[in-house]
Amino acid sequence: MQNPLLLGPVFFPLIMAAIGVLLARNRTLQHAAGFIGGILAWLSAIGVLAANLQGQVLTYRLGGWQPPYGIVLVGDLLASLFAVMATTVVAAGILYALGCKDKVVTQPAFMPLFLAMGAGLNGALYTGDIFTLFVFIELMVIASVVLVAISDNKLGLEAAIKYLFISGMGTLFLLIGIAAIYALFGTLNMADIGRLLADSERPLLAQAAAVMLMSAFLLKSAVFPFHFWQPDFHTTAPTPVHSVLSSVVVKVGIYGIIRMTTLMFT
C-alpha cells in the first residue's frame, strides 16, 4: 500500500531548501521556511513511528515502480526510531540557528544546505534500495562538507577538504560493494538481496562485497580504526551543524551496519 507519509521527512526539507534558495535575500523568511521544513519532517517521522507501533510497516514506491526495479521507501520500526531521533536533532539545530551568534548562519547558503543535510540523512534511513542509500548518504556528506568549509573557524576549510578525500575513500568502497552485489544478483533492493543470499550458497564475490560495505559504513560512522577524520571535522563545524554531525550523522554508518547484518548478510 502506498503511504505518502514516508515522503514527509525527505521531501519537506528538500522543498524548503529550494524555497530557501529563492528567499536568499530575505534571511528572516528563509529561516522561517527552514524551521517549518524541520518541524514538518519531524511530525511526519513521528506519524510513521506511530503507525509502526500499531503493527504497520509503511512503504512507498516512487513512480509506482514495483521493487526490485523501482526505488521504494520503507518505514519499519528500526528506520522510524532512527528517523525520529534524526529529525528531532535537525529541528532543534534549526531552532538554535535562529538565534545563533555564529556569522555563518547569516550566509544565504546555510539554511538550504542544513535542510539538504537533513533530507539526505532521513532518505538514507528510509530507503529500501542500497544504491539510493548511497545517493542520500552522498547528499548528506556534500552538504555537511560545505557547511564546515564556510564555518567561522579558519581551519574549517582544511578540515572539510580532508574529510572530502577520506569520505571519497568510503564512497569508493561503497560503490564497489554495490557493483559487486548488482553483478551477482541483478537487484539493489535490500530485502531482495537478503532473500537471494539466504536461498543460495554465498559466493566469494558476495563475501568481498560484504567486506567493502562494512569498511564503508565503519568509515562513515567513525568507528575505530576509521575514526581519525572526526576530530578536525566536528570541532571546526558551526555549532548547530556540529550538534547534528556528532549525534545523528555518524549514526547513518551504524544504521547501515545494522541493515547489512540483519537484512542482507544475515
PDB file of all heavy atoms in Angstrom, residues 185-225:
ATOM      1  N   PHE A 185      23.453 -10.452  -8.416  1.00  0.00           N
ATOM      2  CA  PHE A 185      22.027 -10.724  -8.252  1.00  0.00           C
ATOM      3  C   PHE A 185      21.116  -9.907  -9.172  1.00  0.00           C
ATOM      4  O   PHE A 185      19.935 -10.204  -9.282  1.00  0.00           O
ATOM      5  CB  PHE A 185      21.621 -10.470  -6.796  1.00  0.00           C
ATOM      6  CG  PHE A 185      22.394 -11.297  -5.801  1.00  0.00           C
ATOM      7  CD1 PHE A 185      23.209 -10.681  -4.861  1.00  0.00           C
ATOM      8  CD2 PHE A 185      22.335 -12.674  -5.833  1.00  0.00           C
ATOM      9  CE1 PHE A 185      23.930 -11.436  -3.948  1.00  0.00           C
ATOM     10  CE2 PHE A 185      23.056 -13.446  -4.921  1.00  0.00           C
ATOM     11  CZ  PHE A 185      23.851 -12.819  -3.983  1.00  0.00           C
ATOM     12  N   GLY A 186      21.635  -8.858  -9.803  1.00  0.00           N
ATOM     13  CA  GLY A 186      20.808  -8.061 -10.701  1.00  0.00           C
ATOM     14  C   GLY A 186      19.732  -7.264 -10.010  1.00  0.00           C
ATOM     15  O   GLY A 186      18.734  -6.883 -10.629  1.00  0.00           O
ATOM     16  N   THR A 187      19.902  -7.008  -8.733  1.00  0.00           N
ATOM     17  CA  THR A 187      18.940  -6.203  -7.978  1.00  0.00           C
ATOM     18  C   THR A 187      19.683  -5.399  -6.923  1.00  0.00           C
ATOM     19  O   THR A 187      20.762  -5.808  -6.462  1.00  0.00           O
ATOM     20  CB  THR A 187      17.876  -7.089  -7.299  1.00  0.00           C
ATOM     21  OG1 THR A 187      16.970  -6.264  -6.548  1.00  0.00           O
ATOM     22  CG2 THR A 187      18.509  -8.094  -6.353  1.00  0.00           C
ATOM     23  N   LEU A 188      19.104  -4.269  -6.531  1.00  0.00           N
ATOM     24  CA  LEU A 188      19.699  -3.426  -5.495  1.00  0.00           C
ATOM     25  C   LEU A 188      18.757  -3.261  -4.299  1.00  0.00           C
ATOM     26  O   LEU A 188      19.077  -2.541  -3.365  1.00  0.00           O
ATOM     27  CB  LEU A 188      20.045  -2.053  -6.078  1.00  0.00           C
ATOM     28  CG  LEU A 188      21.138  -2.053  -7.156  1.00  0.00           C
ATOM     29  CD1 LEU A 188      21.256  -0.687  -7.814  1.00  0.00           C
ATOM     30  CD2 LEU A 188      22.480  -2.471  -6.567  1.00  0.00           C
ATOM     31  N   ASN A 189      17.596  -3.916  -4.352  1.00  0.00           N
ATOM     32  CA  ASN A 189      16.651  -3.867  -3.241  1.00  0.00           C
ATOM     33  C   ASN A 189      17.194  -4.708  -2.084  1.00  0.00           C
ATOM     34  O   ASN A 189      17.515  -5.895  -2.260  1.00  0.00           O
ATOM     35  CB  ASN A 189      15.291  -4.398  -3.703  1.00  0.00           C
ATOM     36  CG  ASN A 189      14.244  -4.309  -2.620  1.00  0.00           C
ATOM     37  OD1 ASN A 189      14.159  -5.184  -1.762  1.00  0.00           O
ATOM     38  ND2 ASN A 189      13.452  -3.246  -2.653  1.00  0.00           N
ATOM     39  N   MET A 190      17.317  -4.108  -0.901  1.00  0.00           N
ATOM     40  CA  MET A 190      17.994  -4.783   0.211  1.00  0.00           C
ATOM     41  C   MET A 190      17.261  -6.037   0.668  1.00  0.00           C
ATOM     42  O   MET A 190      17.881  -7.062   0.959  1.00  0.00           O
ATOM     43  CB  MET A 190      18.177  -3.800   1.365  1.00  0.00           C
ATOM     44  CG  MET A 190      19.256  -2.760   1.107  1.00  0.00           C
ATOM     45  SD  MET A 190      19.665  -1.743   2.528  1.00  0.00           S
ATOM     46  CE  MET A 190      18.363  -0.512   2.449  1.00  0.00           C
ATOM     47  N   ALA A 191      15.928  -5.993   0.719  1.00  0.00           N
ATOM     48  CA  ALA A 191      15.164  -7.177   1.117  1.00  0.00           C
ATOM     49  C   ALA A 191      15.319  -8.293   0.094  1.00  0.00           C
ATOM     50  O   ALA A 191      15.443  -9.480   0.451  1.00  0.00           O
ATOM     51  CB  ALA A 191      13.694  -6.813   1.293  1.00  0.00           C
ATOM     52  N   ASP A 192      15.339  -7.922  -1.177  1.00  0.00           N
ATOM     53  CA  ASP A 192      15.508  -8.911  -2.245  1.00  0.00           C
ATOM     54  C   ASP A 192      16.903  -9.520  -2.195  1.00  0.00           C
ATOM     55  O   ASP A 192      17.077 -10.730  -2.400  1.00  0.00           O
ATOM     56  CB  ASP A 192      15.267  -8.236  -3.594  1.00  0.00           C
ATOM     57  CG  ASP A 192      14.764  -9.206  -4.649  1.00  0.00           C
ATOM     58  OD1 ASP A 192      13.953 -10.080  -4.289  1.00  0.00           O
ATOM     59  OD2 ASP A 192      15.189  -9.099  -5.809  1.00  0.00           O
ATOM     60  N   ILE A 193      17.916  -8.698  -1.925  1.00  0.00           N
ATOM     61  CA  ILE A 193      19.286  -9.209  -1.797  1.00  0.00           C
ATOM     62  C   ILE A 193      19.377 -10.189  -0.641  1.00  0.00           C
ATOM     63  O   ILE A 193      19.987 -11.260  -0.760  1.00  0.00           O
ATOM     64  CB  ILE A 193      20.272  -8.040  -1.597  1.00  0.00           C
ATOM     65  CG1 ILE A 193      20.353  -7.177  -2.852  1.00  0.00           C
ATOM     66  CG2 ILE A 193      21.668  -8.566  -1.231  1.00  0.00           C
ATOM     67  CD1 ILE A 193      21.035  -5.841  -2.626  1.00  0.00           C
ATOM     68  N   GLY A 194      18.755  -9.848   0.485  1.00  0.00           N
ATOM     69  CA  GLY A 194      18.753 -10.746   1.635  1.00  0.00           C
ATOM     70  C   GLY A 194      18.101 -12.083   1.315  1.00  0.00           C
ATOM     71  O   GLY A 194      18.588 -13.147   1.724  1.00  0.00           O
ATOM     72  N   ARG A 195      16.983 -12.043   0.574  1.00  0.00           N
ATOM     73  CA  ARG A 195      16.285 -13.283   0.198  1.00  0.00           C
ATOM     74  C   ARG A 195      17.160 -14.140  -0.707  1.00  0.00           C
ATOM     75  O   ARG A 195      17.263 -15.364  -0.514  1.00  0.00           O
ATOM     76  CB  ARG A 195      14.972 -12.936  -0.499  1.00  0.00           C
ATOM     77  CG  ARG A 195      14.171 -14.142  -0.975  1.00  0.00           C
ATOM     78  CD  ARG A 195      12.920 -13.698  -1.706  1.00  0.00           C
ATOM     79  NE  ARG A 195      13.225 -12.915  -2.896  1.00  0.00           N
ATOM     80  CZ  ARG A 195      13.600 -13.450  -4.052  1.00  0.00           C
ATOM     81  NH1 ARG A 195      13.736 -14.763  -4.180  1.00  0.00           N
ATOM     82  NH2 ARG A 195      13.853 -12.678  -5.105  1.00  0.00           N
ATOM     83  N   LEU A 196      17.821 -13.523  -1.693  1.00  0.00           N
ATOM     84  CA  LEU A 196      18.667 -14.262  -2.626  1.00  0.00           C
ATOM     85  C   LEU A 196      19.895 -14.846  -1.931  1.00  0.00           C
ATOM     86  O   LEU A 196      20.327 -15.962  -2.232  1.00  0.00           O
ATOM     87  CB  LEU A 196      19.093 -13.351  -3.774  1.00  0.00           C
ATOM     88  CG  LEU A 196      17.972 -12.924  -4.728  1.00  0.00           C
ATOM     89  CD1 LEU A 196      18.455 -11.808  -5.659  1.00  0.00           C
ATOM     90  CD2 LEU A 196      17.476 -14.109  -5.537  1.00  0.00           C
ATOM     91  N   LEU A 197      20.465 -14.108  -0.988  1.00  0.00           N
ATOM     92  CA  LEU A 197      21.617 -14.613  -0.247  1.00  0.00           C
ATOM     93  C   LEU A 197      21.221 -15.772   0.661  1.00  0.00           C
ATOM     94  O   LEU A 197      21.993 -16.713   0.860  1.00  0.00           O
ATOM     95  CB  LEU A 197      22.242 -13.496   0.586  1.00  0.00           C
ATOM     96  CG  LEU A 197      23.138 -12.508  -0.161  1.00  0.00           C
ATOM     97  CD1 LEU A 197      23.443 -11.294   0.709  1.00  0.00           C
ATOM     98  CD2 LEU A 197      24.440 -13.179  -0.594  1.00  0.00           C
ATOM     99  N   ALA A 198      20.014 -15.708   1.216  1.00  0.00           N
ATOM    100  CA  ALA A 198      19.550 -16.771   2.114  1.00  0.00           C
ATOM    101  C   ALA A 198      19.203 -18.043   1.355  1.00  0.00           C
ATOM    102  O   ALA A 198      19.301 -19.148   1.904  1.00  0.00           O
ATOM    103  CB  ALA A 198      18.339 -16.284   2.900  1.00  0.00           C
ATOM    104  N   ASP A 199      18.783 -17.907   0.083  1.00  0.00           N
ATOM    105  CA  ASP A 199      18.321 -19.055  -0.706  1.00  0.00           C
ATOM    106  C   ASP A 199      19.439 -19.796  -1.417  1.00  0.00           C
ATOM    107  O   ASP A 199      19.202 -20.837  -2.026  1.00  0.00           O
ATOM    108  CB  ASP A 199      17.287 -18.604  -1.752  1.00  0.00           C
ATOM    109  CG  ASP A 199      15.989 -18.158  -1.104  1.00  0.00           C
ATOM    110  OD1 ASP A 199      15.802 -18.459   0.090  1.00  0.00           O
ATOM    111  OD2 ASP A 199      15.184 -17.495  -1.787  1.00  0.00           O
ATOM    112  N   SER A 200      20.659 -19.253  -1.392  1.00  0.00           N
ATOM    113  CA  SER A 200      21.746 -19.884  -2.134  1.00  0.00           C
ATOM    114  C   SER A 200      23.040 -19.819  -1.333  1.00  0.00           C
ATOM    115  O   SER A 200      23.152 -19.072  -0.357  1.00  0.00           O
ATOM    116  CB  SER A 200      21.938 -19.194  -3.490  1.00  0.00           C
ATOM    117  OG  SER A 200      22.285 -17.829  -3.303  1.00  0.00           O
ATOM    118  N   GLU A 201      24.023 -20.596  -1.775  1.00  0.00           N
ATOM    119  CA  GLU A 201      25.338 -20.540  -1.141  1.00  0.00           C
ATOM    120  C   GLU A 201      25.981 -19.190  -1.426  1.00  0.00           C
ATOM    121  O   GLU A 201      25.920 -18.690  -2.540  1.00  0.00           O
ATOM    122  CB  GLU A 201      26.210 -21.664  -1.698  1.00  0.00           C
ATOM    123  CG  GLU A 201      27.566 -21.758  -1.034  1.00  0.00           C
ATOM    124  CD  GLU A 201      28.395 -22.915  -1.575  1.00  0.00           C
ATOM    125  OE1 GLU A 201      27.821 -23.746  -2.307  1.00  0.00           O
ATOM    126  OE2 GLU A 201      29.601 -22.964  -1.276  1.00  0.00           O
ATOM    127  N   ARG A 202      26.582 -18.612  -0.429  1.00  0.00           N
ATOM    128  CA  ARG A 202      27.135 -17.272  -0.566  1.00  0.00           C
ATOM    129  C   ARG A 202      28.404 -17.295  -1.423  1.00  0.00           C
ATOM    130  O   ARG A 202      29.424 -17.850  -1.014  1.00  0.00           O
ATOM    131  CB  ARG A 202      27.429 -16.702   0.821  1.00  0.00           C
ATOM    132  CG  ARG A 202      27.748 -15.219   0.831  1.00  0.00           C
ATOM    133  CD  ARG A 202      27.710 -14.680   2.241  1.00  0.00           C
ATOM    134  NE  ARG A 202      26.376 -14.766   2.811  1.00  0.00           N
ATOM    135  CZ  ARG A 202      26.071 -14.445   4.070  1.00  0.00           C
ATOM    136  NH1 ARG A 202      27.013 -14.034   4.872  1.00  0.00           N
ATOM    137  NH2 ARG A 202      24.842 -14.549   4.503  1.00  0.00           N
ATOM    138  N   PRO A 203      28.365 -16.685  -2.623  1.00  0.00           N
ATOM    139  CA  PRO A 203      29.553 -16.708  -3.490  1.00  0.00           C
ATOM    140  C   PRO A 203      30.674 -15.836  -2.939  1.00  0.00           C
ATOM    141  O   PRO A 203      30.455 -14.959  -2.092  1.00  0.00           O
ATOM    142  CB  PRO A 203      29.026 -16.170  -4.822  1.00  0.00           C
ATOM    143  CG  PRO A 203      27.774 -15.439  -4.509  1.00  0.00           C
ATOM    144  CD  PRO A 203      27.229 -16.003  -3.241  1.00  0.00           C
ATOM    145  N   LEU A 204      31.891 -16.075  -3.458  1.00  0.00           N
ATOM    146  CA  LEU A 204      33.062 -15.345  -2.989  1.00  0.00           C
ATOM    147  C   LEU A 204      32.922 -13.845  -3.232  1.00  0.00           C
ATOM    148  O   LEU A 204      33.323 -13.030  -2.404  1.00  0.00           O
ATOM    149  CB  LEU A 204      34.319 -15.878  -3.684  1.00  0.00           C
ATOM    150  CG  LEU A 204      35.657 -15.246  -3.249  1.00  0.00           C
ATOM    151  CD1 LEU A 204      35.902 -15.498  -1.768  1.00  0.00           C
ATOM    152  CD2 LEU A 204      36.811 -15.824  -4.088  1.00  0.00           C
ATOM    153  N   LEU A 205      32.337 -13.459  -4.376  1.00  0.00           N
ATOM    154  CA  LEU A 205      32.171 -12.040  -4.681  1.00  0.00           C
ATOM    155  C   LEU A 205      31.237 -11.368  -3.675  1.00  0.00           C
ATOM    156  O   LEU A 205      31.430 -10.202  -3.331  1.00  0.00           O
ATOM    157  CB  LEU A 205      31.635 -11.867  -6.103  1.00  0.00           C
ATOM    158  CG  LEU A 205      31.611 -10.441  -6.659  1.00  0.00           C
ATOM    159  CD1 LEU A 205      32.997  -9.816  -6.614  1.00  0.00           C
ATOM    160  CD2 LEU A 205      31.063 -10.429  -8.084  1.00  0.00           C
ATOM    161  N   ALA A 206      30.243 -12.103  -3.183  1.00  0.00           N
ATOM    162  CA  ALA A 206      29.337 -11.552  -2.170  1.00  0.00           C
ATOM    163  C   ALA A 206      30.083 -11.323  -0.860  1.00  0.00           C
ATOM    164  O   ALA A 206      29.827 -10.337  -0.151  1.00  0.00           O
ATOM    165  CB  ALA A 206      28.150 -12.484  -1.954  1.00  0.00           C
ATOM    166  N   GLN A 207      31.007 -12.196  -0.537  1.00  0.00           N
ATOM    167  CA  GLN A 207      31.801 -12.018   0.685  1.00  0.00           C
ATOM    168  C   GLN A 207      32.705 -10.790   0.561  1.00  0.00           C
ATOM    169  O   GLN A 207      32.864 -10.029   1.517  1.00  0.00           O
ATOM    170  CB  GLN A 207      32.625 -13.276   0.948  1.00  0.00           C
ATOM    171  CG  GLN A 207      31.782 -14.517   1.205  1.00  0.00           C
ATOM    172  CD  GLN A 207      32.629 -15.769   1.337  1.00  0.00           C
ATOM    173  OE1 GLN A 207      33.700 -15.753   1.949  1.00  0.00           O
ATOM    174  NE2 GLN A 207      32.167 -16.868   0.756  1.00  0.00           N
ATOM    175  N   ALA A 208      33.279 -10.605  -0.622  1.00  0.00           N
ATOM    176  CA  ALA A 208      34.104  -9.414  -0.857  1.00  0.00           C
ATOM    177  C   ALA A 208      33.249  -8.154  -0.778  1.00  0.00           C
ATOM    178  O   ALA A 208      33.685  -7.126  -0.228  1.00  0.00           O
ATOM    179  CB  ALA A 208      34.778  -9.512  -2.226  1.00  0.00           C
ATOM    180  N   ALA A 209      32.031  -8.220  -1.313  1.00  0.00           N
ATOM    181  CA  ALA A 209      31.121  -7.079  -1.244  1.00  0.00           C
ATOM    182  C   ALA A 209      30.787  -6.746   0.210  1.00  0.00           C
ATOM    183  O   ALA A 209      30.700  -5.566   0.583  1.00  0.00           O
ATOM    184  CB  ALA A 209      29.843  -7.375  -2.021  1.00  0.00           C
ATOM    185  N   ALA A 210      30.608  -7.771   1.029  1.00  0.00           N
ATOM    186  CA  ALA A 210      30.310  -7.546   2.449  1.00  0.00           C
ATOM    187  C   ALA A 210      31.454  -6.813   3.142  1.00  0.00           C
ATOM    188  O   ALA A 210      31.227  -5.914   3.956  1.00  0.00           O
ATOM    189  CB  ALA A 210      30.042  -8.883   3.137  1.00  0.00           C
ATOM    190  N   VAL A 211      32.692  -7.182   2.808  1.00  0.00           N
ATOM    191  CA  VAL A 211      33.866  -6.520   3.397  1.00  0.00           C
ATOM    192  C   VAL A 211      33.911  -5.051   2.972  1.00  0.00           C
ATOM    193  O   VAL A 211      34.172  -4.151   3.784  1.00  0.00           O
ATOM    194  CB  VAL A 211      35.162  -7.249   2.988  1.00  0.00           C
ATOM    195  CG1 VAL A 211      36.382  -6.453   3.447  1.00  0.00           C
ATOM    196  CG2 VAL A 211      35.186  -8.645   3.573  1.00  0.00           C
ATOM    197  N   MET A 212      33.643  -4.783   1.689  1.00  0.00           N
ATOM    198  CA  MET A 212      33.654  -3.416   1.175  1.00  0.00           C
ATOM    199  C   MET A 212      32.565  -2.570   1.836  1.00  0.00           C
ATOM    200  O   MET A 212      32.801  -1.426   2.247  1.00  0.00           O
ATOM    201  CB  MET A 212      33.472  -3.419  -0.339  1.00  0.00           C
ATOM    202  CG  MET A 212      34.677  -3.925  -1.100  1.00  0.00           C
ATOM    203  SD  MET A 212      36.095  -2.824  -0.896  1.00  0.00           S
ATOM    204  CE  MET A 212      37.380  -3.771  -1.688  1.00  0.00           C
ATOM    205  N   LEU A 213      31.366  -3.116   1.937  1.00  0.00           N
ATOM    206  CA  LEU A 213      30.265  -2.373   2.555  1.00  0.00           C
ATOM    207  C   LEU A 213      30.539  -2.112   4.029  1.00  0.00           C
ATOM    208  O   LEU A 213      30.303  -1.009   4.532  1.00  0.00           O
ATOM    209  CB  LEU A 213      28.957  -3.152   2.401  1.00  0.00           C
ATOM    210  CG  LEU A 213      28.399  -3.280   0.979  1.00  0.00           C
ATOM    211  CD1 LEU A 213      27.181  -4.187   0.965  1.00  0.00           C
ATOM    212  CD2 LEU A 213      28.039  -1.917   0.411  1.00  0.00           C
ATOM    213  N   MET A 214      31.072  -3.115   4.731  1.00  0.00           N
ATOM    214  CA  MET A 214      31.376  -2.936   6.145  1.00  0.00           C
ATOM    215  C   MET A 214      32.441  -1.861   6.345  1.00  0.00           C
ATOM    216  O   MET A 214      32.332  -1.009   7.238  1.00  0.00           O
ATOM    217  CB  MET A 214      31.836  -4.259   6.755  1.00  0.00           C
ATOM    218  CG  MET A 214      32.123  -4.192   8.247  1.00  0.00           C
ATOM    219  SD  MET A 214      30.639  -3.855   9.228  1.00  0.00           S
ATOM    220  CE  MET A 214      29.841  -5.450   9.172  1.00  0.00           C
ATOM    221  N   SER A 215      33.463  -1.865   5.497  1.00  0.00           N
ATOM    222  CA  SER A 215      34.517  -0.846   5.596  1.00  0.00           C
ATOM    223  C   SER A 215      33.945   0.547   5.363  1.00  0.00           C
ATOM    224  O   SER A 215      34.295   1.502   6.068  1.00  0.00           O
ATOM    225  CB  SER A 215      35.621  -1.131   4.572  1.00  0.00           C
ATOM    226  OG  SER A 215      36.229  -2.377   4.815  1.00  0.00           O
ATOM    227  N   ALA A 216      33.057   0.687   4.370  1.00  0.00           N
ATOM    228  CA  ALA A 216      32.451   1.986   4.081  1.00  0.00           C
ATOM    229  C   ALA A 216      31.619   2.478   5.260  1.00  0.00           C
ATOM    230  O   ALA A 216      31.720   3.646   5.660  1.00  0.00           O
ATOM    231  CB  ALA A 216      31.586   1.881   2.829  1.00  0.00           C
ATOM    232  N   PHE A 217      30.805   1.604   5.830  1.00  0.00           N
ATOM    233  CA  PHE A 217      29.942   2.015   6.943  1.00  0.00           C
ATOM    234  C   PHE A 217      30.749   2.316   8.209  1.00  0.00           C
ATOM    235  O   PHE A 217      30.405   3.227   8.972  1.00  0.00           O
ATOM    236  CB  PHE A 217      28.892   0.942   7.227  1.00  0.00           C
ATOM    237  CG  PHE A 217      27.852   0.805   6.150  1.00  0.00           C
ATOM    238  CD1 PHE A 217      27.461  -0.440   5.693  1.00  0.00           C
ATOM    239  CD2 PHE A 217      27.259   1.925   5.582  1.00  0.00           C
ATOM    240  CE1 PHE A 217      26.497  -0.565   4.694  1.00  0.00           C
ATOM    241  CE2 PHE A 217      26.306   1.820   4.589  1.00  0.00           C
ATOM    242  CZ  PHE A 217      25.921   0.563   4.142  1.00  0.00           C
ATOM    243  N   LEU A 218      31.815   1.565   8.439  1.00  0.00           N
ATOM    244  CA  LEU A 218      32.674   1.847   9.593  1.00  0.00           C
ATOM    245  C   LEU A 218      33.341   3.210   9.446  1.00  0.00           C
ATOM    246  O   LEU A 218      33.462   3.962  10.417  1.00  0.00           O
ATOM    247  CB  LEU A 218      33.734   0.755   9.746  1.00  0.00           C
ATOM    248  CG  LEU A 218      33.248  -0.608  10.243  1.00  0.00           C
ATOM    249  CD1 LEU A 218      34.363  -1.636  10.165  1.00  0.00           C
ATOM    250  CD2 LEU A 218      32.720  -0.519  11.672  1.00  0.00           C
ATOM    251  N   LEU A 219      33.763   3.543   8.228  1.00  0.00           N
ATOM    252  CA  LEU A 219      34.393   4.845   7.993  1.00  0.00           C
ATOM    253  C   LEU A 219      33.379   5.969   8.171  1.00  0.00           C
ATOM    254  O   LEU A 219      33.682   6.996   8.797  1.00  0.00           O
ATOM    255  CB  LEU A 219      35.014   4.880   6.604  1.00  0.00           C
ATOM    256  CG  LEU A 219      36.021   6.002   6.325  1.00  0.00           C
ATOM    257  CD1 LEU A 219      37.034   5.555   5.281  1.00  0.00           C
ATOM    258  CD2 LEU A 219      35.354   7.288   5.869  1.00  0.00           C
ATOM    259  N   LYS A 220      32.177   5.800   7.638  1.00  0.00           N
ATOM    260  CA  LYS A 220      31.151   6.837   7.748  1.00  0.00           C
ATOM    261  C   LYS A 220      30.738   7.070   9.202  1.00  0.00           C
ATOM    262  O   LYS A 220      30.365   8.188   9.574  1.00  0.00           O
ATOM    263  CB  LYS A 220      29.908   6.450   6.936  1.00  0.00           C
ATOM    264  CG  LYS A 220      30.136   6.287   5.439  1.00  0.00           C
ATOM    265  CD  LYS A 220      30.430   7.597   4.739  1.00  0.00           C
ATOM    266  CE  LYS A 220      30.526   7.399   3.227  1.00  0.00           C
ATOM    267  NZ  LYS A 220      30.889   8.651   2.523  1.00  0.00           N
ATOM    268  N   SER A 221      30.808   6.016  10.030  1.00  0.00           N
ATOM    269  CA  SER A 221      30.387   6.148  11.427  1.00  0.00           C
ATOM    270  C   SER A 221      31.551   6.431  12.367  1.00  0.00           C
ATOM    271  O   SER A 221      31.358   6.505  13.586  1.00  0.00           O
ATOM    272  CB  SER A 221      29.664   4.870  11.874  1.00  0.00           C
ATOM    273  OG  SER A 221      30.478   3.732  11.687  1.00  0.00           O
ATOM    274  N   ALA A 222      32.762   6.586  11.818  1.00  0.00           N
ATOM    275  CA  ALA A 222      33.956   6.919  12.608  1.00  0.00           C
ATOM    276  C   ALA A 222      34.225   5.904  13.716  1.00  0.00           C
ATOM    277  O   ALA A 222      34.604   6.251  14.828  1.00  0.00           O
ATOM    278  CB  ALA A 222      33.831   8.323  13.215  1.00  0.00           C
ATOM    279  N   VAL A 223      34.035   4.628  13.400  1.00  0.00           N
ATOM    280  CA  VAL A 223      34.339   3.556  14.347  1.00  0.00           C
ATOM    281  C   VAL A 223      35.822   3.214  14.233  1.00  0.00           C
ATOM    282  O   VAL A 223      36.367   3.148  13.134  1.00  0.00           O
ATOM    283  CB  VAL A 223      33.469   2.314  14.054  1.00  0.00           C
ATOM    284  CG1 VAL A 223      33.876   1.136  14.930  1.00  0.00           C
ATOM    285  CG2 VAL A 223      31.993   2.644  14.277  1.00  0.00           C
ATOM    286  N   PHE A 224      36.491   2.999  15.359  1.00  0.00           N
ATOM    287  CA  PHE A 224      37.904   2.630  15.365  1.00  0.00           C
ATOM    288  C   PHE A 224      38.126   1.396  14.483  1.00  0.00           C
ATOM    289  O   PHE A 224      37.366   0.442  14.567  1.00  0.00           O
ATOM    290  CB  PHE A 224      38.349   2.332  16.803  1.00  0.00           C
ATOM    291  CG  PHE A 224      39.795   1.922  16.921  1.00  0.00           C
ATOM    292  CD1 PHE A 224      40.793   2.875  16.988  1.00  0.00           C
ATOM    293  CD2 PHE A 224      40.146   0.579  16.940  1.00  0.00           C
ATOM    294  CE1 PHE A 224      42.121   2.496  17.088  1.00  0.00           C
ATOM    295  CE2 PHE A 224      41.466   0.203  17.033  1.00  0.00           C
ATOM    296  CZ  PHE A 224      42.453   1.155  17.108  1.00  0.00           C
ATOM    297  N   PRO A 225      39.130   1.381  13.623  1.00  0.00           N
ATOM    298  CA  PRO A 225      40.219   2.346  13.440  1.00  0.00           C
ATOM    299  C   PRO A 225      39.954   3.369  12.332  1.00  0.00           C
ATOM    300  O   PRO A 225      40.898   3.916  11.779  1.00  0.00           O
ATOM    301  CB  PRO A 225      41.383   1.438  13.060  1.00  0.00           C
ATOM    302  CG  PRO A 225      40.729   0.353  12.233  1.00  0.00           C
ATOM    303  CD  PRO A 225      39.365   0.151  12.836  1.00  0.00           C
TER     304      PRO A 225
END
